[in-house]
Structures are given as structure tokens and as C-alpha cells.
Amino acid sequence: MDSIIQSIAIYALPVIFAITLHEAAHGYVAKHFGDLTAYSQGRVSLNPLRHIDPIGTILLPLVTLWLGGILFGWAKPVPVNFAALRRPKQDMLWVALAGPGANLFMALVWGFMIKVGLDLPESDLSTPLILMGEAGIKINVVLMVLNLLPLPPLDGGRVAVSLLPPHLAQHFAKIEPYGFMILVLLLMTGILGAVIGPFISITIQLVAWVFGFEV
């Protein structure tokens, strides 16, 4: 029980920031390209309460953390009216990439936090900072890589729809109603971890390399 409580204390802030900034980034970029849907609903916000889904943001990450698998979860999706974008098909690409881009940025920020913690004398501040930094890198890299899977409605699926020729994009987008079920099936069978695991490991190592520490 103590280890679970310790894990929650370490992961709580990184998870909240990872999900909040991911969703807010989608809304901000959508607003930039002409869609005010998320902005009008108050979703272009750094307030975590506007993005938290009780099951996807709290319950499921706790369960996967307890089981020791890939940290899995989601927030309330930011509403985007792609038809309201100035160039719907092209701008969809940047709206989709904004979330994973925010996670990459945060992974680098947490990497910097680890570097600061390692440079400090060992204390009650440096150790939690390093542990939280490690958690921050992990959760943000997992979210980034997971969301870049070319499976609608994940961000990677939106990117694929944006890049594919119109007739192929139209057919590919029809997968979206079944995307979540496919994702859960891949998770339960272990295929998801086998596919994204190497990309997660490589990205974490690259972040560590940037700041000159080992993972």
C-alpha cells in the first residue's frame, strides 16, 4: 500500500500536466486556425478540472499503475469542428500534432528537472524532483507515442486523414467509431505494448541523452 501511495504522489502532477496541456494545445491550435469551439467552451485552459475524465484520467491510470503495465488513460477530448478551420484538411494536421507536440515539450521540461535534481546535493528536494521528473518523461512519452498511432480517433489517425488523398482519407476515417475498441483490444492482447514499447524506450533515451543522464 505504501508503494502505491508513493507512486500516486510521484505521478499525480506529471499525469495532470501531461493530459491538461495536451488537450489545451489542441484547443489553442484549433483556435489559431479559425475554430473557436473549444475556446467558447472554456477548454483552451490550463485548469485541469476542465479536462479531467474521472475514469480515463484518474481510475484507469491508477489501475494500470498498480498492475505495472503501460500507463494508460485519457482526458475529455477537446471538441474541434474541423469544418470551421480555414483549410480543414490541411489544418487538421497541425491541430492533431499539437497534443503530442505538447507532450514532447513537457518530456523535455521534466528532463531538465531531472538535470537540476542531479546537480543539487542529495536532499528531500532533489530525490522527489528526480523521481517526479522520471515519471514526467515516462507519461509524456507514452502519451505522445500512443497518440501518434495511425488509428482514428487518435491524433495519428487525424494526421493520416490529413495526409491521405481525399478518397482514401474518407474511407480511413470510417474506422473512427471502432477505434477505441481496437485500441483496448490491442492493449489487452499485449500487441499495443509490443508495437509502441520500442518507440517509447528510444524516445526516453533520447530525452536523457539531451540532458546528459542515463535511464
Side-chain angles (χ1 to χ4, degrees):
M1 179 60 73
D2 289 343
S3 63
I4 294 295
I5 294 173
Q6 185 182 36
S7 294
I8 291 172
I10 291 169
Y11 274 88
L13 278 179
V15 167
I16 289 171
F17 278 120
I19 290 174
T20 297
L21 292 181
H22 179 106
E23 295 300 333
H26 282 312
Y28 177 81
V29 175
K31 177 177 178 288
H32 175 76
F33 285 108
D35 175 32
L36 300 178
T37 306
Y39 179 75
S40 65
Q41 296 182 19
R43 296 298 303 279
V44 185
S45 170
L46 297 182
N47 180 357
L49 296 178
R50 296 188 180 274
H51 306 289
I52 285 175
D53 179 280
I55 294 176
T57 313
I58 299 174
L59 181 60
L60 194 57
L62 285 176
V63 171
T64 54
L65 189 62
W66 177 61
L67 293 175
I70 290 178
L71 196 60
F72 186 72
W74 62 84
K76 289 190 294 185
V78 163
V80 178
N81 179 8
F82 293 105
L85 298 172
R86 285 188 284 274
R87 300 176 306 162
K89 195 170 186 300
Q90 295 93 326
D91 296 343
M92 180 191 300
L93 173 73
W94 305 111
V95 174
L97 288 176
N103 290 129
L104 177 59
F105 171 75
M106 282 184 284
L108 293 170
V109 170
W110 286 114
F112 176 73
M113 291 294 103
I114 292 178
K115 178 65 174 175
V116 171
L118 290 172
D119 289 342
L120 290 173
E122 187 172 348
S123 66
D124 291 339
L125 172 63
S126 62
T127 301
L129 189 61
I130 293 169
L131 293 174
M132 197 171 290
E134 291 173 349
I137 292 175
K138 179 180 177 182
I139 183 59
N140 278 288
V141 169
V142 168
L143 277 177
M144 182 187 74
V145 173
L146 177 65
N147 274 284
L148 286 175
L149 280 175
L151 176 67
L154 296 177
D155 298 326
R158 306 285 191 199
V159 170
V161 170
S162 176
L163 295 176
L164 286 171
H167 64 287
L168 291 178
Q170 187 177 9
H171 289 295
F172 186 70
K174 292 179 181 178
I175 300 174
E176 183 164 340
Y178 315 102
F180 182 73
M181 290 184 290
I182 294 171
L183 190 63
V184 171
L185 180 63
L186 293 174
L187 177 67
M188 293 176 63
T189 57
I191 295 174
L192 181 64
V195 170
I196 70 175
F199 294 100
I200 291 171
S201 298
I202 290 170
T203 308
I204 289 175
Q205 289 171 13
L206 284 173
V207 173
W209 174 78
V210 168
F211 293 100
F213 58 83
E214 295 183 359
V215 291

